[in-house]
Amino acid sequence: MALKQKTVWVCTSCGNESLKWMGRCPACGEWNTMVEEKVVTGRGGSSRGSMTVPGSSHKPMPLADIDTSQDSRISLNNAEVDRILGGGIVEGSLVLIGGEPGIGKSTLSLQIPLHCKSLRTLYVTGEESVRQVKLRAVRLGGDDSDCLIYSETLMENILDEAKKIMPDLMIVDSVQTVYTQTIESSPGSVSQIKECAALLLRFAKETGVPVILIGHITKEGSIAGPKVLEHIVDVVLQFEGDNRGTYRLLRSIKNRFGSTSELAVFEMTGKGLHEVSNPSEMLIPMHEEGLSGVAVSAMMDGTRPFLIEVQALVSSAAYGTPQRSATGFDVRRLNMLLAVLEKRAGFRLSVKDVFLNMAGGLRVSDPACDLAVICAVLSSNFDFAIPPDTCFAGEVGLSGEIRPVSQIDRRIIEAQRLGFRKMYISAFGSPDNVPEGIEVIKVGDVPALCRSLFPK
């Protein structure tokens, strides 16, 4: 069959192909995501066979006869990374790490081989020269005797060197810079990313060498390239946080070998990313006692409890129209909570400016922070300081009721461990066990909270 070349339009969001350009993708509905690609059809022109994972030639066998004892994990000598991966990286797995520029993707990927002795690593860099990687390695410190640096972007050369070396771990920085000769398009295109990821997946499954891919993200915050890239890989990790700040969050979006509820916290220092084993210590109050407008919330991110300081400032509107500003919190939810305070509890906040801030630069989405937000706003409004040994966990409904939240026992234990003596929760939920040294106060609605917390 003769080879033919044709032009198709591919959606960068879902990978759907079309013979003509369309402003909106007919498959996923996204706008302005169709890009032009040249594909070769006919025998030998398409390498779609590389998408097949090795093992498809095996005969069907009963599920009970499949042996999983050989699926071992490799420790990366980083407690936070090992925990978010489910106990270490699985042999033959393909891991994708995404994040904004300067967030710490390359730093973390280079720290792993430098601080993990006896782990022979092939570090493929397509964005930097070997000299640039060496300068960063000197700054990070560690043992570089088993870390091999290879500056290459052609996928065929990368796989040839990897098969010769047979490392314990291979890192590719980044997947948007590598390309294969079987596809006639530029690096970073939809077809190139899809094909290169498929080749790396085949290499990982055939040899058992785990591969870590570094990926770019779009301006919307999603990983750049086709959505099929996230389907191909086994694990998807994404960095979050302000790159101008010091703290970074590594969140698990997809994990075929563990839970997606895990969260790793790092602090960016001059010598790389430092593990934060107890994030609550960096988020609880770090100021003198007696300040108003401050409340501590016992929140959960996945399965990990945090105690975070909520700061509020309420002042008279100086410019006629009241301002509503929230940093690290949904401003629409803030407006809803202020409306509940005015309608259900009788506080006139519609003529006042309200500013809200979550300490540490974190973005909070746990509804259990509603109670702490209300208390911080009322504390600033009354200019009354909440006792520093008091924390809160509860969701506020539109009728002013305080609703129970999930995993309340873990929140109470974390608060007691950090020295808190009182904790306000919903009256409609009951914890199983309350540890000694902390008093749990149950309140049913916002007026009951005000009567219990603030003096008349």
Side-chain angles (χ1 to χ4, degrees):
M1 182 177 179
L3 298 179
K4 296 181 180 180
Q5 187 180 54
K6 67 176 183 178
T7 300
V8 297
W9 294 87
V10 183
C11 175
T12 58
S13 179
C14 65
N16 181 60
E17 294 183 1
S18 176
L19 295 179
K20 61 180 181 179
W21 180 87
M22 285 183 261
R24 184 179 184 183
C25 175
C28 64
E30 294 291 332
W31 289 91
N32 299 323
T33 58
M34 306 295 287
V35 295
E36 185 179 7
E37 295 284 348
K38 292 183 178 180
V39 297
V40 179
T41 60
R43 183 173 300 175
S46 176
S47 55
R48 294 184 183 272
S50 62
M51 293 288 291
T52 305
V53 177
S56 59
S57 60
H58 294 172
K59 295 181 179 180
M61 59 188 304
L63 185 62
D65 296 342
I66 299 177
D67 184 18
T68 59
S69 60
Q70 297 180 353
D71 292 337
S72 59
R73 294 179 181 267
I74 302 175
S75 175
L76 300 179
N77 198 26
N78 189 307
E80 291 292 294
V81 177
D82 284 345
R83 184 175 54 80
I84 199 173
L85 289 174
I89 190 169
V90 177
E91 293 183 355
S93 62
L94 189 61
V95 180
L96 175 64
I97 302 178
E100 295 181 357
I103 201 75
K105 305 183 298 298
S106 300
T107 300
L108 178 63
S109 61
L110 188 58
Q111 271 187 232
I112 290 174
L114 292 178
H115 294 85
C116 193
K117 297 180 180 179
S118 69
L119 185 66
R120 188 172 176 83
T121 305
L122 176 61
Y123 189 97
V124 181
T125 170
E127 299 179 346
E128 300 174 299
S129 64
V130 293
R131 179 178 175 81
Q132 289 176 302
V133 177
K134 174 63 177 180
L135 292 175
R136 191 185 328 124
V138 172
R139 177 174 58 87
L140 297 177
D143 185 8
D144 58 356
S145 58
D146 288 327
C147 183
L148 305 176
I149 308 299
Y150 184 41
S151 180
E152 181 59 72
T153 56
L154 182 60
M155 181 55 61
E156 284 76 12
N157 293 343
I158 294 173
L159 295 179
D160 288 342
E161 290 296 327
K163 290 177 182 178
K164 294 177 184 178
I165 299 172
M166 287 304 295
D168 300 323
L169 174 68
M170 187 168 80
I171 301 172
V172 179
D173 185 9
S174 64
V175 68
Q176 279 82 12
T177 60
V178 296
Y179 69 99
T180 174
Q181 291 178 333
T182 59
I183 303 294
E184 295 186 0
S185 59
S186 60
S189 62
V190 173
S191 55
Q192 284 286 1
I193 293 176
K194 185 166 56 175
E195 187 65 23
C196 290
L199 291 172
L200 290 170
L201 177 67
R202 172 175 284 271
F203 168 78
K205 301 305 180 185
E206 286 179 344
T207 61
V209 176
V211 179
I212 297 178
L213 301 178
I214 306 300
H216 301 163
I217 66 170
T218 63
K219 60 182 180 181
E220 290 82 13
S222 59
I223 296 178
K227 199 66 177 179
V228 72
L229 174 63
E230 299 182 38
H231 293 284
I232 293 175
V233 301
D234 298 312
V235 182
V236 179
L237 306 178
Q238 186 157 356
F239 265 110
E240 297 179 2
D242 187 359
N243 54 13
R244 295 183 296 272
T246 58
Y247 296 110
R248 306 286 192 269
L249 302 181
L250 186 63
R251 192 182 302 276
S252 176
I253 300 177
K254 171 189 175 181
N255 192 349
R256 288 174 177 163
F257 311 110
S259 172
T260 57
S261 300
E262 294 293 341
L263 181 75
V265 183
F266 298 93
E267 182 181 7
M268 179 62 79
T269 64
K271 295 184 178 181
L273 291 169
H274 175 67
E275 304 172 36
V276 180
S277 57
N278 189 4
S280 296
E281 293 182 351
M282 71 180 186
L283 300 175
I284 57 178
M286 299 180 182
H287 50 70
E288 297 180 356
E289 298 182 6
L291 294 180
S292 62
V294 175
V296 178
S297 172
M299 59 168 285
M300 297 286 297
D301 200 315
T303 59
R304 193 166 190 176
F306 288 91
L307 264 71
I308 184 171
E309 180 183 272
V310 180
Q311 302 171 344
L313 177 63
V314 180
S315 62
S316 299
Y319 302 104
T321 302
Q323 300 182 62
R324 301 287 187 265
S325 176
T327 303
F329 193 77
D330 189 359
V331 68
R332 293 172 297 180
R333 192 165 187 86
L334 172 62
N335 291 330
M336 184 201 76
L337 296 176
L338 296 179
V340 170
L341 285 177
E342 184 152 356
K343 178 70 175 180
R344 305 299 181 185
F347 296 106
R348 292 182 55 83
L349 299 174
S350 60
V351 294
K352 296 186 177 181
D353 295 335
V354 179
F355 304 93
L356 190 70
N357 177 55
M358 297 293 167
L362 299 184
R363 177 117 191 127
V364 175
S365 58
D366 190 355
C369 295
D370 291 352
L371 200 58
V373 169
I374 282 183
C375 293
V377 169
L378 294 179
S379 172
S380 178
N381 186 52
F382 296 146
D383 199 17
F384 176 80
I386 297 175
D389 60 350
T390 304
C391 62
F392 307 88
E395 180 183 359
V396 177
L398 291 179
S399 60
E401 82 280 8
I402 299 177
R403 305 171 63 87
V405 293
S406 62
Q407 306 185 59
I408 189 63
D409 295 278
R410 300 194 62 183
R411 303 172 195 261
I412 295 175
I413 293 174
E414 180 72 7
Q416 187 271 339
R417 188 178 64 85
L418 292 174
F420 286 84
R421 297 291 174 258
K422 292 183 180 181
M423 184 170 179
Y424 284 81
I425 66 173
S426 171
F428 303 103
S430 178
D432 296 332
N433 296 307
V434 178
E436 296 182 0
I438 186 170
E439 178 187 2
V440 175
I441 303 175
K442 298 181 180 181
V443 288
D445 53 20
V446 174
L449 171 69
C450 297
R451 291 191 298 267
S452 175
L453 186 61
F454 300 104
K456 295 183 178 179

